[in-house]
């Protein structure tokens, strides 16, 4: 099918469609990006197919125990690029796709995605999450021309990667709620049609946990369709708001901590799933507050002290605190008048906020959904501990400027 001018195929004929697509575009020179695992799973097969058509392919097999989208791996690809136009092929999952997206964009070449696991929602996205000097940032790049997903390859993907994709999808429950709250309280642009598209894709995944867990062709098609749709919604919105909120901020915090300490970074969607449990719990607290209680909290709330906030940021983030301070400029620079206006807005919009919160499943429901697909539900299952869990809840919101339920709770003094 064609979606917003991007070709997407998920079937056992996907590689045949890939060849037809390349032939129609007259592509004959390729840069194939993969790692050792994805080369064995699919990359070598793609090389043979291209060789059979007498097309030129140069393969970059990224080396290292854990491939991440940081300076080292971006350079590994860019160092092998030349000045001749070519089509980049991302053969892998989220990290390989982000590296390829970034490098193809910076070399002014298109790219095609050939997923090996339904583990993230970034396949169709415009943005590439990258780690620069151990700081998780967002680089704007471009979407793939096409996504060709061989269903048999995806069905054989490791179970934890499939579960990670499901965790990434579940995060849309809280991300969509955060987006709407930011619209209500700070007039952030909100697009109901895009939000509804994201929610439909999310609900279809949540309603098919058994098929997804069993990795049937039906289940894997449903999860990949949802992940691709989520990426398209980000592309249409121009940013990650439809798919990423406070739950992702927790994930980013944990990832940065793990990378800084040279520990395995853990699958993105696994961290997002556990982050979603925590943020769903925050929405539960919001749902329990009536108007009188909110007025009481708002009356006691005071403007965050800039210097105190800066000290917290510097203590928590150390060498990357300058980037965090820049990200939080609006929050840190609020005047007393602006803070009073925000509190007044919260009071007048409380009924609408409660309506938004009512659409977020409970933390128990989120946990049960994750368990149904075999996804981790406890921080210790990721190799993290309760201290790192508490620190993420305290400091994770600093990583992005967007208003979320976590920021709302801070204004109210709930946490």
């Amino acid at each position: 099918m064609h979606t917003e001018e991007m070709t997407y195929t998920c079937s056992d004929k996907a590689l045949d469609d890939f060849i037809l697509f390349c032939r129609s575009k007259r592509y004959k020179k390729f840069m194939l990006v993969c790692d050792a695992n994805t080369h064995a799973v699919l990359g070598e097969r793609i090389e043979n197919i291209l060789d059979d058509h007498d097309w030129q392919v140069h393969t970059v097999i990224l080396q290292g125990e854990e491939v991440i989208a940081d300076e080292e791996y971006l350079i590994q690809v860019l160092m092998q690029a030349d000045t001749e136009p070519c089509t980049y092929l991302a053969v892998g999952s989220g990290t390989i796709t982000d590296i390829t997206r970034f490098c193809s964009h910076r070399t002014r070449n298109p790219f095609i995605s050939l997923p090996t696991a339904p583990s993230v929602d970034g396949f169709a996205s415009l943005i590439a999450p990258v780690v620069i000097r151990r700081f998780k940032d967002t680089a704007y790049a471009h979407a793939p021309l096409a996504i060709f997903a061989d269903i048999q390859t995806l069905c054989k993907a490791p179970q934890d990667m499939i579960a990670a994709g499901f965790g990434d999808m579940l995060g849309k429950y809280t991300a969509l709620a955060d987006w709407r709250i930011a619209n209500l309280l700070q007039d952030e642009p909100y697009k109901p049609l895009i939000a509804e598209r994201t929610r439909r894709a999310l609900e279809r995944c949540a309603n098919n946990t058994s098929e997804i867990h069993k990795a049937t062709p039906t289940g894997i098609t449903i999860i990949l369709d949802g992940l691709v749709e989520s990426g398209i919604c980000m592309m249409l919105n121009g940013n990650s708001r439809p798919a990423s909120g406070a739950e992702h901020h927790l994930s980013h915090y944990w990832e940065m901590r793990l990378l800084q300490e040279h520990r395995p970074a853990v699958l993105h969607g696994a961290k997002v799933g556990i982050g979603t449990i925590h943020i769903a719990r925050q929405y539960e607290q919001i749902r329990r507050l009536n108007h009188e209680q909110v007025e009481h909290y708002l009356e006691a709330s005071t403007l965050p002290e800039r210097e105190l906030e800066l000290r917290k940021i510097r203590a928590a983030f150390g060498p990357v605190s300058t980037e965090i301070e820049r990200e939080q400029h609006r929050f840190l620079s609020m005047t007393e008048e602006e803070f009073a206006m925000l509190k007044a807005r919260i009071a007048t919009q409380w009924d609408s906020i409660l309506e938004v919160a009512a659409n977020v499943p409970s933390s128990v429901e989120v946990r049960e959904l994750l368990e149904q697909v075999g996804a981790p539900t406890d921080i210790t299952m990721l190799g993290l501990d309760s201290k790192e869990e508490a620190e993420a809840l305290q400091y994770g919101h600093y990583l992005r400027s967007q208003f979320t339920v976590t920021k709302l709770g801070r204004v109210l003094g709930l946490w």
Side-chain angles (χ1 to χ4, degrees), residues 271-333:
K271 298 191 294 285
V272 170
I274 291 178
T276 305
I277 294 174
H278 284 293
I279 303 306
R281 191 173 294 123
Q282 292 185 355
Y283 272 105
E284 290 172 18
Q285 292 178 256
I286 294 297
R287 285 197 293 270
R288 289 195 289 265
L289 298 179
N290 58 36
H291 277 278
E292 184 179 348
Q293 291 169 313
V294 169
E295 292 285 358
H296 172 75
Y297 282 119
L298 290 173
E299 186 176 346
S301 179
T302 58
L303 178 68
E305 183 184 338
R306 177 181 171 83
E307 287 306 314
L308 176 60
E309 295 296 312
L310 288 174
R311 285 199 297 272
K312 290 180 181 178
I313 289 172
R314 290 163 189 166
F317 296 99
V320 299
S321 58
T322 300
E323 288 88 345
I324 306 295
E325 291 169 23
R326 190 180 303 118
E327 186 74 24
Q328 290 300 315
H329 175 75
R330 180 179 182 183
F331 177 68
L332 296 172
S333 301

Side-chain angles (χ1 to χ4, degrees), residues 34-41 61-63 67:
C34 58
D35 62 21
N37 290 328
T38 63
H39 183 258
V41 167
I61 303 178
L62 298 172
Q63 302 296 326
V67 175

Side-chain angles (χ1 to χ4, degrees), residues 107-120:
T107 57
R108 300 185 179 182
N109 287 296
F111 88 100
I112 294 170
S113 172
L114 295 137
T116 55
S119 58
V120 292

Side-chain angles (χ1 to χ4, degrees), residues 68-75 99 130-132 134 259:
I68 59 176
D70 68 357
E71 304 100 315
E72 176 185 350
Y73 288 99
L74 296 175
I75 288 296
I99 291 169
V130 293
V131 179
I132 305 298
R134 299 287 161 175
L259 290 172

Side-chain angles (χ1 to χ4, degrees), residues 40-297:
V41 167
L42 184 61
E44 187 173 9
R45 185 176 170 194
I46 298 295
E47 288 174 332
N48 292 334
I49 291 172
L50 297 176
D51 285 341
D52 288 344
H53 287 78
D54 294 323
W55 291 339
Q56 183 180 347
V57 55
H58 177 69
T59 299
V60 181
I61 303 178
L62 298 172
Q63 302 296 326
E65 290 185 12
E66 183 180 29
V67 175
I68 59 176
D70 68 357
E71 304 100 315
E72 176 185 350
Y73 288 99
L74 296 175
I75 288 296
Q76 281 192 34
V77 176
L78 291 172
M79 285 292 288
Q80 298 196 49
D82 58 32
T83 58
E84 294 295 322
C86 70
T87 303
Y88 279 65
L89 305 177
V91 180
S93 188
T95 300
I96 297 294
T97 303
D98 290 331
I99 291 169
T100 308
R101 184 194 320 280
F102 181 91
C103 294
S104 64
H105 180 264
R106 296 310 191 265
T107 57
R108 300 185 179 182
N109 287 296
F111 88 100
I112 294 170
S113 172
L114 295 137
T116 55
S119 58
V120 292
D121 67 358
F123 295 113
S125 177
L126 287 166
I127 60 175
V130 293
V131 179
I132 305 298
R133 296 191 302 274
R134 299 287 161 175
F135 175 69
K136 185 72 175 284
D137 206 348
T138 297
Y140 283 88
H142 57 192
L145 292 175
I147 301 171
F148 296 102
D150 177 57
I151 191 64
Q152 295 306 319
T153 299
L154 295 178
C155 287
K156 295 174 184 175
Q159 191 275 333
D160 61 340
M161 297 189 78
I162 297 170
F166 186 80
D168 207 6
M169 284 304 299
L170 276 198
K172 308 329 168 205
Y173 277 124
T174 48
L176 289 171
D178 282 348
W179 188 20
R180 179 60 174 143
I181 284 177
N183 168 252
L184 291 169
L185 299 181
Q186 294 197 328
D187 296 319
E188 182 177 325
Y190 178 79
K191 299 176 182 177
L193 292 179
I194 290 177
E196 182 56 31
R197 281 183 63 165
T198 305
R199 184 172 292 279
R200 283 200 303 268
L202 161 61
E203 294 291 354
R204 189 162 182 244
C205 291
N207 291 335
N208 286 278
T209 54
S210 178
E211 293 294 318
I212 293 169
H213 181 54
K214 290 186 289 186
T216 65
T218 297
I220 295 303
T221 300
I222 287 170
I223 186 67
L224 188 66
D225 284 353
L227 293 166
V228 170
E229 177 74 346
S230 176
I232 289 169
C233 287
M234 287 189 276
M235 179 171 59
L236 294 175
N237 198 56
N239 59 41
S240 63
R241 244 330 191 171
S244 174
E247 75 296 322
H248 271 69
H249 303 166
L250 297 181
S251 173
H252 295 333
Y253 181 88
W254 288 320
E255 182 169 350
M256 287 175 58
R257 168 62 68 85
L258 292 166
L259 290 172
Q260 287 167 0
E261 297 178 0
H262 303 284
R263 296 152 65 189
V266 186
L267 289 167
H268 168 76
K271 298 191 294 285
V272 170
I274 291 178
T276 305
I277 294 174
H278 284 293
I279 303 306
R281 191 173 294 123
Q282 292 185 355
Y283 272 105
E284 290 172 18
Q285 292 178 256
I286 294 297
R287 285 197 293 270
R288 289 195 289 265
L289 298 179
N290 58 36
H291 277 278
E292 184 179 348
Q293 291 169 313
V294 169
E295 292 285 358
H296 172 75
Y297 282 119

